Amino acid sequence: RQKPENKEKHRVESQTYNRKPEVIEYRKEYRQKPKVKAKRKATLKAYLTPKVRTRIKKEKSEYSKKPTVKKHISKKHLELKKQVLIPISKKITNSNVLKCNCPGCPEKMIEFLSIDHIDGREKMGHVGWSTETLYYWIRRQLEQGIVPDGLQVLCHNCNWAKGRYGKCPHQK
């Protein structure tokens, strides 16, 4: 088990098993049982006392402030962002150029671009999702050969303005 090739094989097998629809469905049903819900709630309540919560928060904060970790996280996030934004942009604009989809906006830097829900998060069922969760979901869809509908690439300014005012000032 300790050999690298065996570890990798086991990791890949467990990932494919955990993504099977029947396994996901079984786990959802299992978590909905009253006994299981009560047990999980009691465990969390016992474990996550204010003192423990504070300690965990402090540890996470200290870990993420390390320069090597910061560099790794930002590099990993940028790579994930590229994997997700390029196919969505290509679907909408039929171009390999990654840029903001707003007609008057010239923004092309990937650091300033983000995903926008065309009709809102509620319609797609993504309420409460973090950006990273959304990006991983999109990447899984892309791996299955599906480019999700209802999403577009906007820069942060256009995305914020669209959410705040209903449309971007570039469209006036």
Side-chain angles (χ1 to χ4, degrees):
R1 281 191 133 185
Q2 297 302 319
K3 292 180 181 178
E5 59 272 10
N6 290 342
K7 281 185 179 181
E8 180 61 23
K9 182 181 173 187
H10 179 70
R11 186 184 67 77
V12 170
E13 285 174 358
S14 67
Q15 279 182 345
T16 52
Y17 175 78
N18 289 334
R19 289 185 182 157
K20 287 183 179 178
E22 58 270 16
V23 172
I24 293 169
E25 189 60 36
Y26 169 77
R27 288 183 178 154
K28 278 184 185 175
E29 288 172 11
Y30 179 77
R31 284 191 213 111
Q32 295 305 316
K33 293 180 181 177
K35 279 186 179 179
V36 175
K37 274 186 170 182
K39 188 176 178 183
R40 289 180 79 197
K41 191 174 181 179
T43 305
L44 277 173
K45 190 175 183 181
Y47 176 70
L48 290 179
T49 61
K51 189 176 179 180
V52 173
R53 251 189 245 128
T54 307
R55 189 197 74 213
I56 291 172
K57 194 173 181 179
K58 183 180 175 189
E59 287 171 359
K60 282 183 178 180
S61 176
E62 287 172 359
Y63 177 76
S64 64
K65 286 180 184 173
K66 290 180 181 177
T68 54
V69 172
K70 265 186 162 180
K71 213 181 263 186
H72 173 71
I73 290 172
S74 62
K75 202 174 184 183
K76 183 180 169 186
H77 184 72
L78 262 181
E79 196 55 44
L80 175 65
K81 208 172 182 180
K82 281 181 191 174
Q83 291 173 358
V84 167
L85 293 180
I86 290 171
I88 290 175
S89 178
K90 192 172 187 175
K91 180 180 181 180
I92 292 173
T93 62
N94 292 326
S95 167
N96 288 331
V97 178
L98 183 61
K99 69 178 223 66
C100 181
N101 197 38
C102 184
C105 183
E107 191 57 61
K108 292 181 180 178
M109 288 184 68
I110 193 161
E111 291 85 358
F112 296 122
L113 297 176
S114 65
I115 290 288
D116 171 54
H117 291 77
I118 295 172
D119 297 321
R121 283 179 173 252
E122 295 84 22
K123 190 168 184 178
M124 290 189 76
H126 296 164
V127 177
W129 288 22
S130 69
T131 304
E132 200 159 353
T133 303
L134 177 65
Y135 284 175
Y136 280 116
W137 176 79
I138 294 168
R139 188 171 76 179
R140 280 195 304 276
Q141 296 292 311
L142 293 171
E143 286 170 356
Q144 295 172 5
I146 304 166
V147 180
D149 291 329
L151 300 173
Q152 66 179 345
V153 176
L154 289 180
C155 69
H156 289 291
N157 286 337
C158 294
N159 198 355
W160 183 85
K162 182 184 167 206
R164 178 76 174 186
Y165 304 117
K167 65 179 180 179
C168 180
H170 291 126
Q171 297 174 343
K172 287 185 179 177

